[in-house]
Amino acid sequence: SQNIAGKKIFLAMKFDDKLKPYREKVRNVVDNLKYEFMVIDEKEHDNYIPTEIEYEIKNCACVIADLTGHNNGVYYEAGLGKGLNKHVIFTCEKSAQKDAHFDVKQINTIFWSENNLEEFAEKLKRRIRSVLNPSEF
């Protein structure tokens, strides 16, 4: 797909094989909304990874930050997105909810579990539509 600034959705998540079903569900939602799915470990480059992350977040329509595993990189990428006035959509695996950092516990988060990924996908689609330009849909 064409590399149009603002037509990408950046997924910040812990890289863990157990999260593959979640990641693929997010990819499907983003693809169906006609946005480009961007996750940094799939990008081909020969640069310093934080530089690539900053570039992609600066040039995306919004960030989806999955708090599952409470990865410091995800918190950093979400904060970078917020600092750049991007919409940041928080998601988290339901059982990890109690361990979320105090600063993000108050934010409207979409919770998921492996047995409710279809319901999660619907919620995520509605949230993306609500924060991005609704006239596009």
Side-chain angles (χ1 to χ4, degrees):
S1 63
Q2 207 174 356
N3 206 354
I4 304 165
K7 284 301 286 183
K8 286 187 209 175
I9 294 179
F10 184 90
L11 175 61
M13 64 175 290
K14 179 180 180 182
F15 297 122
D16 182 337
D17 284 345
K18 286 184 240 151
L19 299 178
K20 275 191 174 152
Y22 162 84
R23 177 180 178 143
E24 291 312 307
K25 191 55 70 178
V26 173
R27 182 192 313 273
N28 291 343
V29 169
V30 170
D31 287 350
N32 288 334
L33 291 172
K34 307 289 189 261
Y35 277 77
E36 183 182 344
F37 177 78
M38 168 51 61
V39 62
I40 205 65
D41 72 337
E42 293 179 8
K43 182 175 184 179
E44 294 300 331
H45 65 87
D46 63 355
N47 204 348
Y48 183 56
I49 290 172
T51 303
E52 292 299 319
I53 289 169
E54 288 169 17
Y55 172 83
E56 292 299 342
I57 292 174
K58 280 180 190 163
N59 291 290
C60 72
C62 75
V63 175
I64 298 169
D66 187 64
L67 302 176
T68 308
H70 306 291
N71 179 282
N72 290 335
V74 172
Y75 282 94
Y76 169 77
E77 292 161 22
L80 180 60
K82 288 273 191 193
L84 292 168
N85 293 315
K86 300 292 179 177
H87 293 286
V88 178
I89 298 170
F90 286 97
T91 67
C92 188
E93 202 279 324
K94 202 158 182 49
S95 68
Q97 172 178 4
K98 64 188 180 315
D99 300 318
H101 191 278
F102 174 80
D103 292 345
V104 296
K105 273 192 176 171
Q106 317 309 314
I107 297 172
N108 189 11
T109 300
I110 304 170
F111 294 100
W112 61 273
S113 64
E114 237 181 294
N115 61 8
N116 86 338
L117 284 172
E118 290 308 315
E119 183 185 330
F120 161 75
E122 273 307 305
K123 287 180 181 174
L124 181 62
K125 184 170 77 175
R126 286 196 307 270
R127 183 71 52 88
I128 292 169
R129 283 181 164 167
S130 76
V131 300
L132 298 180
N133 185 357
S135 68
E136 287 184 24
F137 298 105

